[in-house]
Amino acid sequence: MKNRSTDEKVAGSGPGGDAPAGEAPHQIVAKIRAACSALPDVIEERAWVGTRWKVRSHTFAHVLAVDGGWPQAYAKAAGNDGPISLVTFRSQGIELDVLGRAGHPFFRPVWFPNIVGMILDENSDWDEVAELLTESYCVLAPRKLVDLLERPGAQ
């Protein structure tokens, strides 16, 4: 299993701090990084805003901050001008439907039919976030990589 990071210093103090616009707080990026880097063949890179994790050429997780209504597409999707941190990920089947209807902290951006967003804050369940990111990875990863994972209850 290989994991690569194109920018290990993606960090910041988040909305309202001295971090670049759109960067989530360092602590949040670190928690997302820990969950994603545990998966096979993951690449971490700076996105146009925030940080994203990819398997092959497919983004399965993207973390960023919204502040002052920017970035506008994320603020609109989340229904919140910030300051907030959020992560987007992929889902499918019943889970996609359930998350799409759950309400806060979840929301449904319109740019992909299988994308879900989650607002991250002090009440976030980081075990749940890690599970959702693992499932997102499995939606987009080649079967041979998915088969390397131990997932309780997975079919």
Side-chain angles (χ1 to χ4, degrees), residues 5-28:
S5 174
T6 57
D7 189 351
E8 285 297 324
K9 296 186 180 186
V10 175
S13 56
D18 55 2
E23 291 297 330
H26 173 73
Q27 301 86 342
I28 288 177

Side-chain angles (χ1 to χ4, degrees), residues 102-126:
H104 184 79
F106 298 101
F107 61 93
R108 287 293 306 278
V110 297
W111 43 91
F112 292 109
N114 65 347
I115 197 164
V116 178
M118 181 180 186
I119 296 172
L120 302 169
D121 59 25
E122 64 278 354
N123 297 316
S124 295
D125 178 341
W126 290 102

Side-chain angles (χ1 to χ4, degrees), residues 140-151:
L140 298 174
R143 172 64 43 202
K144 69 179 186 173
L145 294 178
V146 173
D147 288 345
L148 297 173
L149 301 177
E150 291 184 32
R151 296 169 40 221

Side-chain angles (χ1 to χ4, degrees), residues 42-54:
V42 167
I43 297 169
E44 176 183 325
E45 63 185 20
R46 280 196 180 268
W48 68 277
V49 61
T51 304
R52 65 182 168 204
W53 288 265
K54 298 168 82 171

